[in-house]
Structure formats: C-alpha cells, structure tokens
Amino acid sequence: MNTQSEYRKLPAIDQLLQATGVVALGRLYGRSQLTDAARAVLAEARAVIADGGAAPDHEAWPARMDAWLAGASAISLRPVINATGVIIHTNLGRAPLSEGALAALQRVDAGYSNLEYDLAAGGRGSRHDHARRALIALTGAEDAMVVNNCAAAVYLVLAALAIARDVLISRGQLVEIGGGFRIPDVLRASGARLVEVGTTNRTHLKDYQAALTAETTAIMRVHSSNFYQVGFVTTPTLEDLVKVAHSYGVILIDDLGSGALLDTTQYGLAGEPVVQQSIKDGADLVTFSGDKLVGGPQAGLIVGKQSLVTKLRNHPMARALRVDKLTLAALEATLSSYVRGRAEEEIPVWQMIAASPATVQARAVHWQTQLARAGIQATVIAGESTVGGGSLPGEVLPTMLLAAPARNPDAVAKALRQLDPPVICRIQHDHLLFDPRTVLPAQEEPLLTAIAGSLTIDR
Ligand SMILES: *Cc1c(COP(=O)(O)O)cnc(C)c1O
C-alpha cells in the first residue's frame, strides 16, 4: 500500500462538512459538534493509514461521523436488566422505585412545586416539612429529617452533637459498609472522638460503663449490616444500652443502615432491625437509608427526639447535606405506601422479597418455553436470591433460575452487558443464570430477546 497516496485520499475538513450525508447530520447536531466529529474521524483514518491501512471509502464518512457523534453524546447512566437475583444491588442502583414514586417525580418535578413554600401563609416554608409527618407516623418518633444518604445522616448527627466529644462504640461495630465507607472514618471526619469499647466479639454493658466519662456525649450502636458473627459473641441489647446512656445523661444513637419498616421474618428471613423497635427501645436518634429496605430513593432518614432533630436542622451542614425535590417527591410517595399498608403490593423491593417460589417458578418456566420457540434449550433449576444492600447477610430466598448452557459463558455474559438495555446475570460453571425475582415485568421481553440473540452467537 502506498501510504502517501492513501493520505491524499483524505478529504479536507471543509470538504467533509459539505458532503451531502454530513449536511444531513446538521439537522441533529450543531456546527461545532460536526467539526469536532470531522476532526476525530480524520484523525482515526490517519492513524489507520500510518499503520499501513487504507483510507476509508468516500461514502463511509457520514456514517463514521454519525457513529462518533452518537458515542460522544450518549447518556452514560442507563437502565439495566438485573437478572442477578440480588434485590438491593448497590452497583445497580439499589432500590427500583415504585410506580407511585415515579408518578410523584413526574407530577412534582416537571414544573414548580411548594418545595419551600407555605401555601397557607403564602410565604417561605421549609423543605424539612415534607416526608416528616409520614416518618413520624411510621416510626413513632417525635421528629424526623431527611438528608442525602445514611452516611450523611451519621455525619450530621455526630458533627452537630458530638464535635470534640467522646462517642463510645463497640469494637465489634467499627465496620466497613462497602465502597470503602468506614464508620470510624466518618466519626473522625465529623470531629467526634471515637472511644472503642469491648473486644471484636464480646462487648458487655460494663465495658460501656467503664468508658463513660464527663467527656462522653453519646453511645453509638452500629448495625453490622453486611456480616454476622457466630460463636463466642455477646453484645448488650439496645434497651440496656439506652438505660446506661440515659443514667449517665448521654444520648443513644442507633445507626441501622438498612432500616426495615416491615418485619423480614414473615418471609422466612432473619430479623433485620426494625426502626419502630429502636424508637420503642428508647434510642434518641435512629439513622437509616432511603434506598435499602425502605425501597425508595437514595436518602438518609433521621428519626428521634425533637430537641435533637431541631439541632440537626439548624446546623450549618444541614444545608450541604439536604435533599432536592426529586428525592422528596419519590420518598414521600414511597412512605405513603407504608402509611396505607400497601408496601408489599406497591414497593418493588418488597414485592421481590414477598414473591412466592411458585410465582418465580412460573416466570422461569414461561421464559424457558419462550426461548424453546427460538430454538434455545434452557432448564429451570432451584437456586437462591439474596436481599443485598448491606442487609440480611448470609440470608437467602429460595428461587427458581433459568439456566442456559453456553460454550463460552464469559463471552456471552459480556455480550449481554453490551446490549441496550444491558443484561447483568450470574455465571455458574458453563451456565448463565437468570433470576426472575429481580427482573421487572416490563423488562421480560427485552431480556428474552437478548438471551436468544446472544446464545445464537455462542453456537
Ligand atoms: C449502608 C449503611 C450506611 C450508609 O448508608 P448510605 O445510605 O449508603 O449512605 C451507614 N450505616 C450502616 C449501618 C449501613 O448499613
């Protein structure tokens, strides 16, 4: 190949921009985007020629520019199909929102709202008034507040109430939640002084009592969320911790993380701490996430004593950690499902937890039948779903999986991830596993098309 003559075949930028196909692209893209695209595809072509390749055909340029522009303007945050069976999958955006929450987003966020407007008085209101009443009604707490996430909730509580003061925590509760979020780091960053109490596996009431001094401002209990300890283990009950804290005039902060508002044991799972119970047991402040077992948008929910929550609301960091109208709209609608006693029916996380083995099996068998029509042989096998999201470690929900054999399962799984919407599944030996429990009904059709397409390539 004569490199010099290939270079000479490349059009000048102006020439390229005047080509008929490129002029047509001008309906979708602006002048400067087109120029960027022309530069980019010309640079690509030069690189190919430098490697001994040929210049592209005259007709190929508009398509190349179109592809470059589509890539450059692509939205990176996209929906995916979660066929992993992990219900609260942190990497996949945790809780899918309920229809009620989506409708609230649409209603409130498409226009103006009374976010900080008091409709009765016709003047300034507070965003903290939204969701507050529902949180109080659901948890039995005196007061409630919403911030950006549970990490922010913990940070705000400590910054507002424990700066330069001692906070006692059991050594068994100095946990890393995931994504590098470590309770001791947040504590230090807030300005509170961490006082470790007890040992990794055993902490007694007397350990707390021995560590309480005039410098102590709080005892903090942290839910171990993503692991559990067995064997020679002990930790005081929350009720006993509250008694000790209050007898010394310090507050009890309970960081629950997942924060269930419903009892998980009714689904054959272990008991996840319930927010209402912490309040009943006397915790002064309870912090939990909006997008774990609550099943709503990312948020940090703080419930507890009114005098304390008032201090949090008035702290300068409250503004930095506050939530926007999108979050409040989705959260209020999610909480409304609980208030109306309709959480299991309306909130996807609870629908998925509550889905009976028979329901899951029927869906898996339906998928199997549909795929058989496309010439794909798959089986339905017993397996396990998990709740995820730093809740119920080691606990599983029996499920039925669609198992599709593949010659090269890694390659098929990769191909599935490149689709739109991408499909995320599990691999076990030489099978791809798809768990119906976490696949939203509206995603069934694209899922089956994706599986059929990718397995046809595998043959
Ligand atoms: C998950 C978790 C957090 C952090 O919650 P985010 O909402 O992800 O910020 C804090 N504490 C505990 C105990 C948790 O499980």
Side-chain angles (χ1 to χ4, degrees), residues 75-76 78-81 411-425 434 445-457:
I75 288 171
S76 83
R78 292 184 294 156
V80 306
I81 297 177
V412 178
K414 184 171 179 192
L416 284 166
R417 292 196 304 271
Q418 311 304 315
L419 297 172
D420 189 24
V423 175
I424 320 294
C425 66
F434 303 90
E445 235 183 84
L447 172 67
L448 294 178
T449 310
I451 297 175
S454 59
L455 284 171
T456 312
I457 297 164

Side-chain angles (χ1 to χ4, degrees), residues 94 149-152 154 177 181 183 222-223 225 255-258 289-292 299 389-390:
R94 288 202 183 149
N149 57 13
C150 189
V154 171
I177 307 298
F181 173 77
I183 288 289
V222 182
H223 176 40
S225 299
D255 177 31
L256 288 184
S258 57
S289 294
D291 55 352
K292 291 182 179 172

Side-chain angles (χ1 to χ4, degrees), residues 98-263:
S98 68
E99 276 171 29
L102 294 175
L105 284 173
Q106 184 76 30
R107 268 199 316 275
V108 170
D109 297 306
Y112 299 104
S113 63
N114 62 336
L115 179 65
E116 289 187 346
Y117 189 79
D118 183 335
L119 291 168
R124 193 187 166 89
S126 167
R127 74 177 62 213
H128 294 302
D129 288 343
H130 307 291
R132 181 168 165 263
R133 205 169 343 140
L135 283 169
I136 290 171
L138 288 168
T139 63
E142 289 175 11
D143 205 350
M145 176 181 181
V146 183
V147 292
N148 188 49
N149 57 13
C150 189
V154 171
Y155 176 85
L156 180 62
V157 166
L158 295 170
L161 305 173
I163 196 159
R165 306 266 288 151
D166 289 354
V167 176
L168 312 190
I169 305 190
S170 160
R171 288 203 164 86
Q173 296 171 4
L174 292 171
V175 300
E176 174 172 319
I177 307 298
F181 173 77
R182 290 183 166 177
I183 288 289
D185 294 342
V186 176
L187 222 120
R188 274 183 219 108
S190 72
R193 274 198 310 259
L194 168 65
V195 177
E196 300 181 17
V197 170
T199 62
T200 304
N201 58 329
R202 291 173 74 82
T203 304
H204 303 274
L205 220 43
K206 62 177 191 296
D207 295 322
Y208 287 96
Q209 285 162 327
L212 276 153
T213 69
E215 293 294 301
T216 311
T217 191
I219 293 178
M220 185 162 169
R221 183 181 81 152
V222 182
H223 176 40
S224 56
S225 299
N226 48 10
F227 70 100
Y228 71 107
Q229 292 186 315
V230 287
F232 193 53
V233 176
T234 189
T235 180
T237 65
L238 184 60
E239 268 181 300
D240 285 342
L241 275 182
V242 167
K243 270 189 213 131
V244 168
H246 290 177
S247 70
Y248 283 79
V250 308
I251 60 169
L252 191 297
I253 303 163
D254 195 19
D255 177 31
L256 288 184
S258 57
L261 293 168
L262 297 178
D263 180 6

Side-chain angles (χ1 to χ4, degrees), residues 351-367 380-383 385 397-401 435-437 444:
Q351 287 172 329
M352 290 174 187
I353 291 174
S356 73
T359 311
V360 183
Q361 177 162 24
R363 287 181 75 194
V365 169
H366 172 66
W367 293 2
V380 173
I381 61 168
S385 318
L397 292 157
T399 197
M400 297 304 282
L401 306 163
D435 190 336
R437 191 184 294 277
E444 282 203 0

